[in-house]
Amino acid sequence: MLAAREHGYETNAMAGYDASKAASTFDLDPEQYIPVMAIAIGKPDETAEEITTTRYPISELVDFS
Ligand SMILES: Cc1cc2nc3c(=O)[nH]c(=O)nc-3n(C[C@H](O)[C@H](O)[C@H](O)COP(=O)(O)O)c2cc1C
């Protein structure tokens, strides 16, 4: 997701899909591949308004000492 953003794309993690069908949908062996999440990727909407959802300050959650 960070690499995608570095190349000008935005992403969104999703777990709300039928994981039991995901591997076969993409012609992958469901015995070998167990999907843990899907990642939507696309060009950001330049006209979108600023994100208004609440975020905790990173300093309250992570300490890089
Ligand atoms: C592993 C993972 C799975 C997620 N699955 C979903 C999902 O199925 N549906 C959803 O609405 N958001 C899901 N999210 C959250 C979205 O990726 C995204 O953070 C959220 O929709 C942003 O909304 P917000 O701006 O209100 O926080 C997931 C996040 C993670 C890390």
Side-chain angles (χ1 to χ4, degrees):
M1 295 171 87
L2 294 174
R5 178 169 283 180
E6 195 63 29
H7 289 277
Y9 296 93
E10 289 294 345
T11 60
N12 192 293
M14 294 179 285
Y17 61 95
D18 188 345
S20 69
K21 295 180 181 166
S24 56
T25 297
F26 291 101
D27 268 343
L28 299 170
D29 178 2
E31 295 295 319
Q32 184 177 0
Y33 295 98
I34 300 171
V36 293
M37 70 172 169
I39 300 176
I41 181 170
K43 287 282 186 185
D45 180 354
E46 305 295 345
T47 65
E49 295 185 12
E50 195 172 325
I51 294 172
T52 56
T53 54
T54 305
R55 296 285 186 271
Y56 290 111
I58 191 71
S59 58
E60 280 186 23
L61 303 172
V62 181
D63 179 17
F64 293 101
S65 53

